[in-house]
Amino acid sequence: MQDNTIHIVADIDALSAAAAQRWAALSAHAIAASGQFHVALSGGSTPRYLFERLAGADYAARVDWRHTHVYFGDERYVPSDHADSNFRMAYEALLRHVPVPAQQIHRVQTELPSAAAAAAAYEAVLNSHLPRDAYGNAAFDLMLLGVGPDGHIASLFPGTDILQEDTRLVAASYVDKLAAWRISVTLPVINHARHIMMLAAGAGKTQILSYVLGASPGSEPLPVQMIEPTGGMEWYVDEAAAQGLATR
Ligand code: 6PG
């Protein structure tokens, strides 16, 4: 994993404020340059705080939602109204509150008969909507990512075959430890993003952060250590998650 900037802030509230400001800046830059902003949301619990802040009055005017395209870096293979759905979380926390045109909200169609079918359909969505970088790679303007205590990012879990996928943009992955199917963008898509924002908060992330940011990858790097960004990459971490970092 290449060097990247680490922003250490007091708590989840400060983390969400800092990340929201960065989102607004990246969005304004992309829209000024290309007329649109293509962002992939992460799931789990941390980003909810960011989404709720972006849904607030002060960001209603600061972000050009009508020129924003929203995607999902990964999704659980559950109905979109299921409690575990990343779409449902994002819809409730952000998307129902901001004027992103419905046709610009690109949900993973988990109603399709298999996770593989949902992944194939989503790959077609990325291929038809995402801008290309100078090398022809589909490139998000911003990729939000969290990191699990085991070092997973999106739904790229340690020891899963999807980590070796270097052709497809999206794939289905059965995660043994969760006994569940996931749909996820692959590492090349993450690496080709123009900007990656990693969000990590809470004492539960202390160990993984000090391992990942404090040490060079071991013989078998964790998924989060396999990120080789071609664009920018920043970490937004709170004090609790950063307590093991040497830079403290
Ligand atoms: C998911 C996420 C996943 C998440 C990490 C961290 O679908 O669960 O995309 O990769 O980002 O598990 O989740 P927390 O922010 O809840 O710790």
Side-chain angles (χ1 to χ4, degrees):
M1 186 169 65
Q2 293 177 2
D3 288 347
N4 45 76
T5 307
I6 304 172
H7 305 278
I8 300 175
V9 292
D11 52 28
I12 187 68
D13 213 32
L15 185 154
S16 304
Q21 280 184 4
R22 193 75 174 110
W23 171 309
L26 291 166
S27 162
H29 177 77
I31 292 169
S34 72
Q36 295 176 335
F37 178 57
H38 298 266
V39 54
L41 306 184
S42 57
S45 55
T46 305
R48 176 188 285 274
Y49 300 88
L50 166 61
F51 299 165
E52 288 169 348
R53 183 172 290 265
L54 287 168
D58 48 345
Y59 280 91
R62 285 180 62 179
V63 175
D64 182 350
W65 297 106
R66 297 191 188 286
H67 291 94
T68 298
H69 284 248
V70 176
Y71 306 76
F72 294 82
D74 70 318
E75 186 55 280
R76 293 84 181 278
Y77 185 57
V78 296
S80 291
D81 59 358
H82 191 281
D84 291 345
S85 166
N86 287 337
F87 169 80
R88 174 175 162 179
M89 185 274 279
Y91 181 77
E92 289 176 349
L94 175 60
L95 300 176
R96 66 189 296 191
H97 304 288
V98 292
V100 176
Q103 68 273 21
Q104 293 173 201
I105 298 175
H106 307 288
R107 163 182 78 79
V108 179
Q109 294 171 286
T110 53
E111 64 275 17
L112 290 174
S114 69
Y122 207 56
E123 180 169 63
V125 168
L126 300 196
N127 271 321
S128 62
H129 287 279
L130 282 185
R132 301 282 156 167
D133 67 12
Y135 303 97
N137 303 302
F140 284 106
D141 294 307
L142 173 60
M143 166 76 68
L144 287 185
L145 290 174
V147 58
D150 61 357
H152 79 262
I153 49 174
S155 285
L156 309 181
F157 285 79
T160 56
D161 294 345
I162 192 173
L163 285 168
Q164 316 312 323
E165 179 58 60
D166 61 5
T167 307
R168 285 184 289 174
L169 305 183
V170 184
S173 177
Y174 185 77
V175 185
D176 288 331
K177 69 190 286 189
L178 302 175
W181 280 99
R182 294 283 188 99
I183 295 99
S184 182
V185 295
T186 56
L187 263 177
V189 172
I190 292 172
N191 288 339
H192 294 144
R194 296 186 193 285
H195 202 84
I196 299 171
M197 277 172 57
M198 301 291 305
L199 308 180
K205 302 296 170 73
T206 303
Q207 195 173 1
I208 187 65
L209 283 197
S210 51
Y211 180 74
V212 168
L213 297 177
S216 57
S219 56
E220 188 58 39
L222 297 172
V224 64
Q225 294 173 299
M226 296 169 72
I227 301 174
E228 289 294 344
T230 55
M233 180 165 169
E234 294 174 277
W235 287 79
Y236 288 83
V237 302
D238 70 357
E239 298 270 358
Q243 57 192 321
L245 294 188
T247 51
R248 300 287 310 126

